[in-house]
Amino acid sequence: MPGSVRTVTGTERVPEAGQPLPSARPAWLLTLVLASLAMLGPFTIDTIFPAYPEVGREYAVDTTAMQQVTSVYLLSFGVMSIFHGPLSDSLGRKPVMIGGLMGYVLASLLCLLAPTFEVLLAGRVAQGLFAGAATIVSRAVIRDLYSGAQAQRMMARVLMVFAVAPAVAPVVGGEILRFGPWQAIFVFVAGYAVLVAVLTALVLPETLPRSARQPLHLGSVVGGLWEVARSWRFERLALSTTFAFASYFIYVAGAPIIVVDLLGRGERDFWLLFVPMIAGMVAGSWLSTRLAGRVDPRRLVDGAMVGLLASAAVNVVLTATVPVLPWAVVGPTLLGVGIGIVFPLLQLAMLDLFPERRGAAASMASFASLLFNAALAGALVPLVDGSLLQVALASAALAVLGGALWLWHRRAK
């Protein structure tokens, strides 16, 4: 079929009539703004990491309690992620993203002024409720603007820039602590959100025309979510993405314990873990851009999943034999390469299943992953924080689950 596009789901799809044309803005500028929207999540999680000891001392709470600073954010992010996408299907992409960013600024100010640990956690919950508007809806914007190999390249380029955030954020947090108290970190993330909101308003086009919007009422929102959620094809892809990404994310969520307790490094040494990991993800994303349109997306995911499992095995062997730097970060770096290839493809695959409800698909694609990552940060990481080998074994088990679900998807009719 002329002009058709082979998707990772294995179906032939023709770009929909009436789609908005790509913006006249330079591709690099669109990439920068879309990546900046996506980076809000990692900045919110990782910038505070170097301040964990100081925050714990101020509020007199232990390491396990401090893990909740991450897990409650992820939990609220995950719960609210259900609604951001459907709202953008009804109201348009830009109003939801900009409104979410403004709400995030207010939530950050609550964290800044928190008199007790409980109020700090409430502020983190509020940050999670609003942050998803930027990160989730921006994925739908990419698919609104581009299709096929072009969409794969843009998603991978955004991931390349986005991937830098977990490496940069702890360094930024550490530098902020050199000149001010830990509360200044929330001044920084609030200012970042304001800047991104301005860029979104000035640079991004509205990619969902009024004629393509869904009615804004509860039945439409719930109906769209149910249409997505009841699809077995979608569920297999979503869970495969969730577990595969979790094999990598366990090192991000557990970074304060891994870097300080297990590797015996200082509060400003998070770069020793994050820089190699992010380099791996950037390398994988770069490979995805180079192979877009040249290799069948399904075969590319096949190869990346095999690589992910091999990386997890290497990680277990290295942590069992030489659990010290630099060997301790080789496995997570290799995992990053696999994730950099797989993540853009599976995200696009899920969006392509529901071209008229991309916002709802983006929300549901994030929902399972975010809730699981919240449980991972708050429950699983404390269970496996006794040694690097325990973390590596947990990572390997998650990679196996992700690979098995992808295999099931490939073989299903």
Side-chain angles (χ1 to χ4, degrees), residues 199-279:
L199 288 174
T200 300
L202 296 178
V203 174
L204 283 187
E206 174 53 66
T207 61
L208 187 67
R210 292 185 179 277
S211 60
R213 297 179 188 179
Q214 302 294 323
L216 180 59
H217 55 74
L218 183 61
S220 175
V221 171
V222 174
L225 291 171
W226 176 243
E227 179 185 349
V228 175
R230 70 184 180 182
S231 166
W232 277 103
R233 296 172 70 195
F234 180 88
E235 290 173 6
R236 287 192 297 266
L237 287 169
L239 290 174
S240 177
T241 306
T242 294
F243 289 119
F245 187 74
S247 70
Y248 174 87
F249 186 76
I250 192 171
Y251 283 92
V252 176
I257 294 172
I258 293 168
V259 173
V260 178
D261 297 337
L262 300 183
L263 292 174
R265 297 290 174 162
E267 298 166 7
R268 295 187 177 89
D269 291 330
F270 284 85
W271 66 272
L272 293 170
L273 174 65
F274 283 124
V275 169
M277 287 179 62
I278 300 313

Side-chain angles (χ1 to χ4, degrees), residues 28 58 283 292:
W28 67 266
E58 179 163 334

